[in-house]
Amino acid sequence: KITEPSGGSQLSRLPTIPTRFAWTAVARAALYAAEYTGPDRQFTNPNGAAPDPVNGFGGAGGGFVVTGTSFTNALPPSTPPSTYQIRVIALSPTGQVIGTFSDAVTIVVQ
């Protein structure tokens, strides 16, 4: 479950205002894959076990892998103002999926 930011949060594109992203830990997870949609899109495979091939990492959006249950990042100023969805999925130490993606959280980029 994503704990930060909360749904409907308004995020800044200013490099001096980073955003913290955080979620609850999953047993046996060593890595987490975060995925986000393109502007004004929603995931076509909610709670799936693979990246979204249309609106997420496999299509209009993107994604990346991190260790731990949080990271802080400033959004690039080139990010179009819009709504986006974000979600995470747990991975084993070898990168195998554990479970399904979290519920998506919708955020607003100003």
Side-chain angles (χ1 to χ4, degrees), residues 4-12 19 82 84 105-110:
E4 293 180 66
S6 59
S9 290
Q10 295 192 12
L11 309 184
S12 173
T19 299
S82 188
Y84 296 83
V105 171
T106 300
I107 56 173
V108 180
V109 174
Q110 301 177 334

Side-chain angles (χ1 to χ4, degrees), residues 25-86:
V26 173
R28 301 182 327 276
L31 305 164
Y32 293 87
E35 181 180 35
Y36 55 90
T37 63
D40 291 322
R41 294 177 180 250
Q42 296 181 343
F43 290 112
T44 59
N45 61 345
N47 304 109
D52 185 322
V54 176
N55 297 320
F57 183 69
F64 48 90
V65 174
V66 297
T67 59
T69 56
S70 69
F71 68 94
T72 301
N73 190 44
L75 299 176
S78 61
T79 304
S82 188
T83 60
Y84 296 83
Q85 286 193 325
I86 58 171

